[in-house]
Amino acid sequence: RTGAMAAAPQNLAEAVSRLSEATLAKAFDALLDAATAEEQATLTPLRLRAGAPAAGQDDEDIVDPFNVQSKGEGGIDYDKLIKRFGCQRITEDIIARLERVTNMPAHPWIKRGIFFSHRDLGTVLNHVERGDRVYLYTGRGPSSEALHLGHLVPFMFTKYLQDAFKCPLVIQLTDDEKFLWKDLGVAETHRLAHENCKDIIACGFDVARTFIFSDYEYVGTMYPNIVRVQKFTTYNQVKGIFGFNDSDNIGKHAFPAVQAAPSFSSSFPHIFGSDEHVPCLIPCAIDQDPYFRMTRDVAPRIGFLKPSLIHSKFFPALQGFGTKMSASDANSAIYVTDTPKQIKDKVNKYAFSGGRDSVEEHRRLGADLGVDVSYAYLTFFQFDDAELERVREAYGSGKMLSGEIKQELVKVLQPLVANHQRARALVSDEIVRTFMSVRRIER
């Protein structure tokens, strides 16, 4: 059963390569139905490795690195997603242990369930508790001139983790990925990587512990690990995990190994020397998980540690929870370059409301907080718990109207964006070169 399949992954991949996708899906679904919760966590990545299509494609939310679409008005069903992806929920016990190990309060986004699931977070905490080395890895795909607030979320959270663990951080700028996927040239994606780097640095990272790199510039050092991943990942597996087809360029099929390589400390000899077994923690949105399911699957077969992950929920578009923010639609997002007037106008005009059809009905029933975008944004950026609770109670009970909660949100976002703009203005080209230089950093 599960143990036998996990013990012989290469034989499994070879055997199922001769079966149709429909047959694979039925076989794995039957196993999943009969499996325990622990067995399901093992079977789910095996199902993807074997090339079987994702379960319930017709009636479930679509969540992958390239598409995020909710089937319901209230957004992604994260409980189902945890089961589907085979990850673990962040519990109160994990939060308490995180605070104990780091000797500092957990970030509000963990307490509020915004960072909600993980893979082997306990392993990283074990190493931190013993005083062993760990490192953080996150990234950015530079496809636009400016970041929106959704892009800031993983970086703001990673800044908290760096402060808590006092550990090295590597940030991958996947300019090669955006060249392969977007209608952008090599020079333009490289330029955007350096521009986006300024916004990332403005989040306040410690230059003594942070290495930011462009794939174009650093891929040579990582290449031995890239080809190790490629050798032990089949074409069938990549198709099953990422949905590639025969019309996709070969660069797309090869790229997942490039995103996998920074998960291994040997990709950074200038930081870790010859130590190939420094544990890695990856904070990311849940749509990036397929890359690292693949990475975790291949890691033991090439002699490396599996990376750990901590996942965030999606930051919704202004128009509602159906998708995440899109850099291609300026009115779906608040950008870090927006003026105070633009922020106010966007919130007032586009932020989807959970208010009722009439004032009378709203006073009687209260707002639907589950679909209200202004309230959702406040759960991200109103860090004062008491103030957030005041708004929740007033708006949820009908005492506060839709226009009033939008005013509350504008008051929070305008100074947040203005502070970021001031910090970015201080990031010179020389500071960018320092962060992106290959150098020894504090461990």
Side-chain angles (χ1 to χ4, degrees):
R1 268 191 61 147
T2 309
M5 294 166 69
Q10 197 62 38
N11 291 338
L12 171 67
E14 292 170 359
V16 301
S17 66
R18 297 187 292 272
L19 302 177
S20 70
E21 287 190 350
T23 300
L24 280 173
K26 289 178 182 178
F28 273 99
D29 285 345
L31 278 171
L32 284 166
D33 287 342
T36 65
E38 184 178 355
E39 290 171 335
Q40 286 175 351
T42 302
L43 278 166
T44 299
L46 286 173
R47 185 185 202 280
L48 293 168
R49 277 177 47 203
Q57 286 179 328
D58 292 336
D59 58 359
E60 289 188 346
D61 299 329
I62 298 172
V63 177
D64 62 42
F66 320 110
N67 297 286
V68 177
Q69 293 183 356
S70 169
K71 298 296 183 180
E73 190 181 60
I76 302 297
D77 187 328
Y78 291 101
D79 290 330
K80 285 185 178 179
L81 205 58
I82 285 176
K83 183 176 180 181
R84 215 169 92 199
F85 282 10
C87 44
Q88 295 81 46
R89 181 173 294 284
I90 293 176
T91 63
E92 292 296 326
D93 287 344
I94 292 174
I95 295 173
R97 187 177 180 215
L98 177 63
E99 293 184 329
R100 186 170 65 252
V101 168
T102 61
N103 197 32
M104 62 187 295
H107 196 285
W109 290 344
I110 298 180
K111 294 180 178 180
R112 295 174 186 178
I114 291 169
F115 278 80
F116 71 105
S117 73
H118 72 99
R119 294 186 186 276
D120 290 342
L121 178 58
T123 300
V124 170
L125 294 180
N126 289 342
H127 280 79
V128 173
E129 199 164 31
R130 292 196 299 263
D132 296 338
R133 289 190 296 176
V134 300
Y135 76 101
L136 301 167
Y137 158 38
T138 192
R140 159 76 181 143
S143 60
S144 60
E145 193 83 33
L147 277 61
H148 58 56
L149 292 184
H151 292 141
L152 288 187
V153 169
F155 293 114
M156 293 172 68
F157 186 74
T158 301
K159 168 66 166 63
Y160 150 76
L161 290 175
Q162 186 181 56
D163 292 344
F165 293 154
K166 299 177 177 59
C167 68
L169 161 66
V170 298
I171 300 176
Q172 181 182 42
L173 301 174
T174 57
D175 35 18
D176 54 341
E177 175 202 14
K178 294 309 175 184
F179 170 70
L180 294 168
W181 263 268
K182 303 285 186 179
D183 187 21
L184 296 168
V186 170
E188 178 63 3
T189 51
H190 194 206
R191 185 189 71 82
L192 290 173
H194 282 255
E195 284 302 307
N196 287 182
C197 186
K198 295 177 181 178
D199 282 304
I200 294 169
I201 293 169
C203 293
F205 292 111
D206 181 355
V207 67
R209 289 193 171 101
T210 305
F211 173 51
I212 305 175
F213 62 95
S214 150
D215 279 346
Y216 289 145
E217 298 172 10
Y218 192 71
V219 71
T221 305
M222 298 191 298
Y223 196 65
N225 283 342
I226 291 171
V227 295
R228 288 183 177 106
V229 174
Q230 289 172 339
K231 183 173 182 177
F232 285 90
T233 306
T234 69
Y235 177 66
N236 197 47
Q237 290 166 12
V238 170
K239 284 177 64 179
I241 295 170
F242 299 101
F244 298 145
N245 59 54
D246 294 342
S247 297
D248 285 315
N249 66 62
I250 60 174
K252 290 183 179 181
H253 293 84
F255 175 76
V258 179
Q259 186 156 324
S263 306
F264 310 128
S265 59
S266 58
S267 293
F268 306 99
H270 63 285
I271 301 175
F272 302 109
S274 60
D275 192 343
E276 299 182 346
H277 296 96
V278 180
C280 174
L281 175 62
I282 305 169
C284 62
I286 188 73
D287 62 331
Q288 296 299 301
D289 187 74
Y291 281 111
F292 301 111
R293 290 204 300 273
M294 181 200 77
T295 307
R296 285 169 55 84
D297 175 64
V298 77
R301 289 185 281 152
I302 59 177
F304 294 145
L305 299 176
K306 293 182 179 182
S308 301
L309 287 91
I310 183 166
H311 303 120
S312 74
K313 295 178 179 178
F314 299 115
F315 193 73
L318 283 167
Q319 288 82 357
F321 286 83
T323 62
K324 59 179 180 179
M325 278 184 161
S326 171
S328 61
D329 181 0
N331 291 324
S332 74
I334 304 294
Y335 285 85
V336 296
T337 53
D338 283 347
T339 65
K341 183 179 187 305
Q342 286 174 316
I343 293 170
K344 181 178 179 180
D345 290 346
K346 285 183 179 182
V347 170
N348 287 336
K349 186 173 182 180
Y350 297 110
F352 187 83
S353 174
R356 305 299 176 173
D357 292 338
S358 67
V359 173
E360 293 76 15
E361 186 180 10
H362 184 86
R363 297 292 191 198
R364 180 168 56 88
L365 298 176
D368 183 350
L369 299 178
V371 301
D372 193 275
V373 167
S374 295
Y375 178 73
Y377 280 25
L378 286 171
T379 65
F380 277 84
F381 294 120
Q382 175 51 272
F383 295 114
D384 185 325
D385 288 335
E387 182 63 15
L388 181 64
E389 174 58 23
R390 180 191 70 80
V391 172
R392 186 201 66 78
E393 192 283 325
Y395 192 48
S397 67
K399 298 174 187 174
M400 179 181 287
L401 298 176
S402 179
E404 293 171 322
I405 195 173
K406 290 185 176 185
Q407 291 176 23
E408 296 283 345
L409 177 60
V410 169
K411 287 191 297 185
V412 168
L413 294 187
Q414 285 177 335
L416 175 77
V417 172
N419 288 339
H420 180 86
Q421 291 170 353
R422 282 191 289 270
R424 190 189 192 280
L426 297 175
V427 180
S428 65
D429 291 339
E430 181 61 31
I431 290 174
V432 171
R433 283 192 289 272
T434 300
F435 270 91
M436 298 188 74
S437 64
V438 177
R439 68 203 190 280
R440 293 186 64 84
I441 65 175
E442 292 183 19
R443 299 184 296 178

